[in-house]
Amino acid sequence: RADPFRTAVCALGIAQITAWGTTYYCLGVLARPIARDTGWSQSLIYFGFTVSLLVMGAVSTAGGRAIDRYGARTMMSAGSVLASAGLLLLSRVQGEAAYLAAWALLGLGMRLCLYDAAFAALVQVVPSRGRQAISYLTLFGAFASTVFWALGHELDAALGWRATLVCFAAIQLVVCLPLNWLALSRREA
């Protein structure tokens, strides 16, 4: 029988690399292509990310309560779906208001699927080893920018920024959603 500690840390580690890379770090690669294609200023493009951070802060308390009430497994899975939807909307925006709205949705998804939620998830799954699990998980997250900046550059060069965001949305559903759901299904005795 698989150890819930190893299962949760490894699966959430991969999910965190993917979640951070597809959401938080995506503008590191895509800001210039978005500006070039849309004609929008860099200030507006990065303001979208600021909107996501503001939403993350605004919903933190409610997100934490939802994780306590419904469980991190459910809320992190919902976060992956919301992040995917936000990335898909971002790939389709034509106007500035829609761009900022897509980032607001991404902020909600990120609050539910990035570190804060993952740390709570680990404490729910392995309460006796929660601190140790959090330390290991944090090490995984360090690879997000390395992996996804390279992947993002390759995808953008081959497909363009819009299709790159569609790929990132699909990755959220194909990688993060099942890992969040399955990795958090077992708890230590």
Side-chain angles (χ1 to χ4, degrees), residues 2-64:
D3 177 18
F5 178 90
R6 282 190 185 162
T7 301
V9 169
C10 291
L12 284 180
I14 294 166
Q16 287 299 293
I17 290 169
T18 306
W20 281 90
T22 57
T23 61
Y24 199 89
Y25 294 123
C26 74
L27 281 185
V29 172
L30 300 178
R32 284 189 180 152
I34 292 170
R36 195 170 37 247
D37 183 49
T38 62
W40 300 337
S41 69
Q42 292 281 327
S43 296
L44 173 75
I45 290 166
Y46 285 107
F47 182 65
F49 182 70
T50 301
V51 168
S52 74
L53 296 177
L54 292 170
V55 169
M56 288 173 72
V59 302
S60 286
T61 301

Side-chain angles (χ1 to χ4, degrees), residues 38 40 44 89-90 92-102 161-162:
T38 62
W40 300 337
L44 173 75
L89 287 173
L90 195 58
R92 310 213 23 104
V93 297
Q94 298 299 322
E96 297 173 358
Y99 176 79
L100 297 176
W161 69 271
R162 291 182 188 275

Side-chain angles (χ1 to χ4, degrees), residues 21-185:
T22 57
T23 61
Y24 199 89
Y25 294 123
C26 74
L27 281 185
V29 172
L30 300 178
R32 284 189 180 152
I34 292 170
R36 195 170 37 247
D37 183 49
T38 62
W40 300 337
S41 69
Q42 292 281 327
S43 296
L44 173 75
I45 290 166
Y46 285 107
F47 182 65
F49 182 70
T50 301
V51 168
S52 74
L53 296 177
L54 292 170
V55 169
M56 288 173 72
V59 302
S60 286
T61 301
R65 286 185 182 132
I67 288 169
D68 286 343
R69 184 172 186 181
Y70 302 109
R73 177 186 188 203
T74 300
M75 297 316 299
M76 288 190 71
S77 297
S80 293
V81 171
L82 290 168
S84 179
L87 289 164
L88 189 59
L89 287 173
L90 195 58
S91 77
R92 310 213 23 104
V93 297
Q94 298 299 322
E96 297 173 358
Y99 176 79
L100 297 176
W103 274 106
L105 181 59
L106 265 167
L108 181 58
M110 288 190 297
R111 173 50 62 223
L112 296 174
C113 72
L114 295 181
Y115 274 150
D116 295 335
F119 294 162
L122 289 173
V123 172
Q124 287 179 358
V125 171
V126 287
S128 71
R129 298 178 282 172
R131 286 183 183 197
Q132 184 182 16
I134 289 169
S135 296
Y136 286 132
L137 181 65
T138 305
L139 294 174
F140 273 95
F143 294 103
S145 60
T146 303
V147 171
F148 277 87
W149 281 7
L151 179 61
H153 277 293
E154 291 300 318
L155 288 171
D156 177 54
L159 306 171
W161 69 271
R162 291 182 188 275
T164 298
L165 288 170
V166 171
C167 291
F168 283 0
I171 289 169
Q172 277 282 342
L173 294 179
V174 172
V175 176
C176 295
L177 178 59
L179 286 175
N180 288 333
W181 187 255
L182 297 172
L184 302 175
S185 63

